[in-house]
Amino acid sequence: MTTRSDTPVDAPVAPGATTPASATAPVPTSASASPATSAGPAPHPGFADAFRQPKPVWAIAFAATVSFMGIGLVDPILPAISAELHASPTQAMLLFTSYLFITAIAMFFTSWIA
């Protein structure tokens, strides 16, 4: 008498017998196993398809835009900031560098949101 583990998956099962989990698992299919009636490769996405993105993509895009706007707005006005604060150019650059450093740390710890 053979045991259930020796029986091939395609073999008939006796009434009342239980089947192992491996015998009832779905069989993965590949794209090459599709019927021969397929219409060919999918068309290239259009311009409007670029805007159909999941919400996390839009959140990352917004965060990157805000971050680059902050850098782009602060960098050109560093001489005015240093004059207003009566600081040397080196001190103003340290202020900007610390801003970038804190931004990098914040992005590292908040990346789980995306």
Side-chain angles (χ1 to χ4, degrees):
M1 180 170 177
T2 61
T3 61
R4 185 71 183 131
S5 61
D6 296 335
T7 307
V9 175
D10 295 336
V13 179
T18 60
T19 59
S22 62
T24 61
V27 177
T29 60
S30 64
S32 62
S34 63
T37 60
S38 65
H44 293 289
F47 180 75
D49 293 332
F51 294 102
R52 294 186 187 122
Q53 300 293 330
K55 288 182 182 181
V57 172
W58 288 110
I60 292 170
F62 178 73
T65 302
V66 169
S67 177
F68 285 119
M69 281 177 46
I71 294 167
L73 292 174
V74 172
D75 194 22
I77 61 171
L78 278 177
I81 292 173
S82 64
E84 184 73 28
L85 296 174
H86 306 292
S88 69
T90 304
Q91 290 172 329
M93 286 305 276
L94 277 172
L95 179 68
F96 188 60
T97 303
S98 64
Y99 163 75
L100 292 176
F101 182 70
I102 295 300
T103 302
I105 290 174
M107 285 182 185
F108 178 75
F109 286 110
T110 59
S111 64
W112 62 271
I113 294 172

